[in-house]
Amino acid sequence: MSVRRLAALQPDSFAFAPATMEQARRWLAKYPPERKASAVIPILWLVQKQEGWVSEPAIRAIAKMLDMAKIRVLEVATFYTMFHLSPVGRHHLQVCGTTPCMLRGSDDVLAACKNRGLVKGGTTPDGLFTLAEVECLGACANAPMVQINDDNFEDLTYDSMSAILEALATYKPVKIGPQIKRQTSCPEGGPTTLK
């Protein structure tokens, strides 16, 4: 487990965009008024979608909206690694480093990232990529895998990861999902039963 802290540099303020506020109100409507704190995770997610990360002023605004102590919102934001506590690049890469991915080549995936100039825990100078190594992204059958923003890329090799990074850097489309001839999580080579 890593220590997660808010970024040293923080904006002076935060304001909900009208579309974000509308979605937040929809989430609040799902809970009884005395349980509105239950909406903290979806509202943190909405703020991150709006800003790209969750700042300390945003945490204060969420706490006020939900009638929670600021520390309670901070506890949630720092516990869940899906929340970015500092600005991230346009493409946030999360490389799975758990045993199934490691056994199937996650070191090669990290090597492709390193050769492209990415450093774990850092953002490239151009602001294009941020790299993190995380634990289990839930696609063990298709290991190794990377989540880039909201999309999973599976069955990766050094070459396929290098090609994905090149495509992203040059604003070309990328193939999401398995990078080999596999349908979702079927066995390699296709189905073996119920033919």
Side-chain angles (χ1 to χ4, degrees), residues 138-153:
C140 300
N142 295 34
M145 64 97 48
V146 171
Q147 184 176 36
I148 302 175
N149 298 334
D150 295 334
D151 298 316
N152 288 352
F153 296 81

Side-chain angles (χ1 to χ4, degrees), residues 123-141:
T123 300
T124 55
D126 60 7
L128 199 56
F129 298 108
T130 297
L131 177 63
E133 185 174 3
V134 297
E135 298 300 319
C136 197
L137 291 167
C140 300

